[in-house]
Amino acid sequence: MAPATWRAIISNGKTLSHPEVIAPVLGAFTIVAILASFLTSAYGVNIPHMRTHHAHSLSVLVVFETFQAIFFSGALSVNWPSNLLAWWSNFAWSAGVIHIPGLTRSINTFTGIFGRSEGEEPVDAVSQVILYNSSFLNDYRWSGHAVDNGLPLPGTGFGFERVLAIHHIPINNVFLVGLIWLLIAVGLVMLAIVGLKMSLECMGRAKKIKEDRLAYFRSHWTGYLGHVMLRTLVIAFFMLMTLAILQLTIRKTVGPVAVATVVFVLVLIGIMVLVASACRARVRDGKAEVRSDRIVFCRTKVFGRLPGIVPAWETALKEHEADVQRLFSVPLFRIQHLNNDPDRETVHLDESFVKRFGWLTARYRRTRWWFLTYYVAYLFCRAAFLGGAWQAPGVQVYGVLATDVVNFVIGIVLRPYEGARNTAMGVWILSICKIVTAGVSVAFLPEFNTHRITGAKLGGIVIAIQGLTVMALLILIVINVYSSWMSLTRRRAVFDPDWLNPVRVRYFEDMEKKATDRGRFEPEPPRPVTPPPRFSVVSIQRRPKIEDHDSDADAVHEQDEPHDDASTAEQPTAGDNNRHSRTSSLGPRLSTGSLPRAARPYRASWSSREFGDAGLSRPSSLVTQRLSGVTCVVVTDCDASVTSASALLRPQSSLWSLNTPSVSRASSPSFGRASREIVTDGRRPPTALAEAPEPLE
């Protein structure tokens, strides 16, 4: 090999390798996704309601699987171009492939790597890294340092061994390195949960936060700790299985093989027992039924315009009498569980089941709660091909490609996730990225002998697809942060900024709709018709009036006063009503500014019943009702459902008749004043999905 070609092989693509910068940025986004996911599961008091909000946050499993799928693309035993090796070095941290010189030297002692590895040539000038000085155009002088023990020579190696060589980790050490970093991550997670519990308690006693802040988490923190540990095990399952199977197939030394065997058996059996116990707890009170069915692929419209294809069960189409355009169908069998108790609560409303197995079922639809059982099996099959078939590149590549295609089809048919972001990332974007990567890797098989320039171009295609996948994931993490903030402030009636309040309402309504898990072709239930606003007078209580108190005094006054015939004989005529004499205008006049329009000022008392002319009266108001002594109790439709008959018939004071209903915040109900919920067009206010209080255990 010419020196220039050799230097190009070991130096091309270096501009894509920046693990010191890219890895911390990706790690920061991952920590943000973890915090958002945890807070949505810890905030609240009602378990089904908390699960609903948690299901719509971005899954941490999907985040780690995206990064691990990109990095473990290099585990395929093909002749990868240098630009791909440099690109994948930015994602090694997600699989626990982190190089620390002291740790690597300690593992070398355990794995039996001393000096040069078996089968490699002694250290000489050829085994040194070339450092090219760009200031000299013809500078090809050798410089640098010797290659670390157990690593392949520059320009040699194959498949995953070359990927690990960038990180200075021998392939015989990678399993132990990943296992050690996993144990460190588990310890950090445990410390984080315990530290959060202690911090909340200290701040609560110091009056820095409210006493009931995250009260459910503080009283059930041990349960949360167990769920977090189990979820961490599920996230690390694919990485552990891939590296353990790889270590078992290498079998260079006894020590790493023994450790890999123990970890492989414990993790695999542990996951199987946990999944089986969850399924058993749910289906033990019933029977399973296996029946034949068909998957029908129907023509549909995507985004209302673009033509597309959607799968559906034939029995569901017949049940709902859906009018669709059928393209073709595939025979298949269907497993359905029939519960003995038809009134049993669904899986997401069964609080005891959610407390025990929420880590396994919380993010999936009501009818797909078992999906993680299948997904663990899929991850194990993929890990078996990547780690076990590295000596047969053709079997490995085509096996991974077939597994990813089948998983993609199953994901489209089942639509397992309840949240839209998890569906977009976990079912569509990530699956397409895996299929494209595995498909392009076929061209790098040894039998095709792809040219180096062509390989670099194909590597650019893979980098573009995986780069777009990472960008989509980061965008979804940012959106997830804001949606999680909406979930954490769901008890607030006021949300800032105001222009996002309609989005918040639609988000809660969509969340409530998806919780019912209505089928794709199942017709929507009719929206309840909201009656028009109305009121009814329940009771009328007459209050004493002024003339009632003065009636006796008027009678006595009329008896004692002498009658003046002359004064009573003169009565004003109709024509004199509009004429006022100058003499009378100079006399004292009684002010009538506070009296109604038709009141007579010379009466000691008055009543609205004495005015028969409707044209002179004005519409009744709360003020006139109060002055007239009549108290009306108005009951709206919102109050009718919560107000008892005894409360409606209770005497009301005239003071309360002037109070108008006010809207209070859902998070801080008011006492001693009338407050009601405003319902507009049959929709709930922004504080939708109100939580019922739950006693703490």
Side-chain angles (χ1 to χ4, degrees):
M1 183 182 295
T5 305
W6 186 18
R7 184 174 58 80
I9 290 176
I10 65 176
S11 61
N12 279 354
K14 294 297 183 180
T15 55
L16 298 175
S17 178
H18 299 286
E20 298 84 2
V21 178
I22 298 179
V25 173
L26 298 179
F29 274 89
T30 303
I31 293 175
V32 170
I34 293 174
L35 292 177
S37 176
F38 174 78
L39 291 177
T40 53
S41 65
Y43 178 79
V45 293
N46 185 272
I47 293 178
H49 190 74
M50 296 160 63
R51 187 221 61 86
T52 302
H53 285 270
H54 178 65
H56 287 262
S57 63
L58 190 61
S59 174
V60 181
L61 174 61
V62 173
V63 175
F64 272 95
E65 187 185 1
T66 302
F67 296 148
Q68 291 176 358
I70 293 175
F71 175 72
F72 279 111
S73 301
L76 296 174
S77 298
V78 296
N79 189 17
W80 295 111
S82 301
N83 54 355
L84 278 178
L85 302 179
W87 164 252
W88 290 332
S89 65
N90 302 312
F91 304 93
W93 63 271
S94 62
V97 181
I98 303 174
H99 171 64
I100 295 181
L103 178 63
T104 303
R105 286 193 297 268
S106 301
I107 296 177
N108 287 343
T109 304
F110 180 74
T111 57
I113 298 178
F114 300 100
R116 303 302 302 165
S117 298
E118 183 180 356
E120 295 186 0
E121 300 177 359
V123 179
D124 54 11
V126 178
S127 63
Q128 296 178 349
V129 180
I130 302 172
L131 299 179
Y132 178 66
N133 188 358
S134 60
S135 61
F136 299 95
L137 298 178
N138 298 322
D139 187 3
Y140 291 106
R141 292 176 298 176
W142 307 104
S143 59
H145 55 83
V147 175
D148 295 335
N149 297 333
L151 299 181
L153 299 178
T156 63
F158 198 69
F160 200 39
E161 190 177 20
R162 291 185 60 195
V163 177
L164 297 175
I166 298 179
H167 303 278
H168 306 283
I169 297 178
I171 194 171
N172 198 34
N173 296 3
V174 63
F175 169 72
L176 293 178
V177 172
L179 180 61
I180 291 174
W181 281 109
L182 175 62
L183 296 178
I184 294 175
V186 170
L188 292 177
V189 170
M190 294 179 61
L191 290 178
I193 298 296
V194 176
L196 178 61
K197 159 68 177 176
M198 297 178 62
S199 300
L200 291 175
E201 294 296 338
C202 293
M203 289 189 293
R205 293 180 181 179
K207 305 300 181 181
K208 298 295 183 180
I209 60 174
K210 296 181 180 179
E211 290 293 336
D212 59 345
R213 181 70 67 193
L214 295 179
Y216 188 83
F217 164 74
R218 292 158 63 181
S219 60
H220 298 78
W221 70 275
T222 54
Y224 275 92
L225 181 60
H227 282 215
V228 169
M229 294 296 101
L230 294 174
R231 196 67 180 176
T232 305
L233 179 62
V234 173
I235 293 173
F237 177 77
F238 174 69
M239 180 269 292
L240 282 177
M241 291 296 101
T242 303
L243 298 182
I245 295 174
L246 178 64
Q247 188 71 58
L248 293 176
T249 55
I250 293 175
R251 292 180 295 181
K252 285 188 177 182
T253 54
V254 178
V257 173
V259 176
T261 302
V262 173
V263 172
F264 176 82
V265 173
L266 291 179
V267 173
L268 182 61
I269 294 180
I271 288 291
M272 292 175 60
V273 170
L274 291 172
V275 170
S277 60
C279 296
R280 176 61 180 170
R282 185 61 193 173
V283 303
R284 62 186 175 185
D285 298 331
K287 60 180 180 179
E289 182 183 52
V290 181
R291 59 181 180 179
S292 60
D293 205 340
R294 301 183 70 89
I295 292 290
V296 180
F297 291 87
C298 311
R299 183 175 298 172
T300 185
K301 293 290 185 181
V302 182
F303 303 111
R305 296 180 180 180
L306 302 177
I309 300 177
V310 60
W313 292 105
E314 187 177 28
T315 54
L317 296 177
K318 292 180 179 179
E319 180 182 357
H320 302 295
E321 299 179 353
D323 185 14
V324 296
Q325 291 181 335
R326 303 190 180 192
L327 298 178
F328 60 94
S329 61
V330 178
L332 200 62
F333 66 93
R334 188 175 185 181
I335 303 176
Q336 187 175 7
H337 175 258
L338 301 178
N339 201 335
N340 295 333
D341 184 10
D343 297 330
R344 184 183 181 185
E345 291 181 338
T346 60
V347 64
H348 293 327
L349 297 180
D350 189 351
E351 296 188 3
S352 61
F353 184 83
V354 175
K355 287 180 180 179
R356 292 180 58 191
F357 302 105
W359 61 273
L360 190 145
T361 63
R363 294 194 182 275
Y364 304 107
R365 292 166 49 198
R366 177 179 57 86
T367 56
R368 304 290 186 266
W369 60 270
W370 47 265
F371 182 78
L372 190 60
T373 305
Y374 153 77
Y375 205 71
V376 167
Y378 155 72
L379 292 178
F380 179 77
C381 292
R382 197 169 192 271
F385 279 113
L386 288 175
W390 65 277
Q391 294 177 337
V395 176
Q396 186 187 40
V397 172
Y398 290 113
V400 170
L401 179 60
T403 304
D404 291 339
V405 171
V406 172
N407 176 69
F408 183 46
V409 174
I410 292 177
I412 294 175
V413 173
L414 295 180
R415 295 180 299 125
Y417 293 102
E418 187 173 313
R421 289 182 295 275
N422 290 323
T423 300
M425 192 69 213
V427 176
W428 290 94
I429 300 177
L430 181 57
S431 298
I432 293 175
C433 177
K434 291 179 180 178
I435 293 173
V436 172
T437 303
V440 174
S441 64
V442 174
F444 297 110
L445 288 172
E447 55 265 26
F448 292 103
N449 195 19
T450 304
H451 192 268
R452 186 171 59 86
I453 297 178
T454 305
K457 294 179 180 179
L458 294 176
I461 296 176
V462 174
I463 293 173
I465 296 297
Q466 294 181 351
L468 292 176
T469 301
V470 174
M471 290 179 60
L473 178 63
L474 299 183
I475 292 174
L476 290 178
I477 290 176
V478 174
I479 297 176
N480 175 64
V481 170
Y482 211 81
S483 65
S484 299
W485 176 249
M486 292 181 183
S487 297
L488 296 179
T489 58
R490 57 183 177 268
R491 295 185 179 184
R492 298 182 183 178
V494 179
F495 183 77
D496 294 326
D498 295 338
W499 59 272
L500 278 179
N501 201 47
V503 178
R504 178 172 175 245
V505 174
R506 289 196 301 269
Y507 176 62
F508 289 158
E509 291 176 349
D510 182 69
M511 184 184 303
E512 187 177 10
K513 179 181 178 181
K514 289 186 176 180
T516 60
D517 193 16
R518 186 178 55 86
R520 181 184 280 122
F521 296 99
E522 183 178 350
E524 293 186 5
R527 185 181 292 271
V529 180
T530 304
R534 60 185 178 86
F535 73 94
S536 59
V537 180
V538 178
S539 64
I540 298 178
Q541 185 177 4
R542 186 177 183 276
R543 295 293 181 183
K545 300 181 180 180
I546 299 177
E547 61 262 25
D548 294 338
H549 296 288
D550 297 340
S551 58
D552 297 338
D554 292 342
V556 173
H557 179 72
E558 291 178 358
Q559 292 178 1
D560 297 341
E561 183 179 1
H563 297 280
D564 190 357
D565 297 338
S567 61
T568 57
E570 297 180 0
Q571 299 292 338
T573 61
D576 296 336
N577 289 337
N578 297 328
R579 294 194 304 268
H580 301 278
S581 62
R582 189 177 186 87
T583 304
S584 61
S585 64
L586 296 176
R589 302 187 64 182
L590 182 64
S591 174
T592 61
S594 61
L595 297 179
R597 185 179 303 171
R600 288 173 291 181
Y602 52 84
R603 285 289 305 272
S605 63
W606 56 270
S607 175
S608 60
R609 294 194 300 265
E610 299 180 6
F611 308 111
D613 189 357
L616 298 177
S617 64
R618 52 184 173 182
S620 177
S621 63
L622 292 175
V623 179
T624 57
Q625 290 176 10
R626 182 188 178 193
L627 292 177
S628 63
V630 178
T631 302
C632 299
V633 181
V634 180
V635 180
T636 64
D637 294 335
C638 299
D639 298 327
S641 61
V642 297
T643 308
S644 61
S646 60
L648 294 177
L649 297 178
R650 185 171 61 249
Q652 307 289 332
S653 63
S654 59
L655 175 63
W656 290 102
S657 64
L658 295 178
N659 290 344
T660 57
S662 61
V663 181
S664 63
R665 296 175 181 260
S667 59
S668 57
S670 58
F671 300 95
R673 63 190 181 99
S675 66
R676 63 189 67 183
E677 185 183 65
I678 297 179
V679 180
T680 306
D681 298 334
R683 298 183 178 181
R684 294 183 181 182
T687 55
L689 297 169
E691 296 185 56
E694 181 186 69
L696 300 178
E697 296 181 356

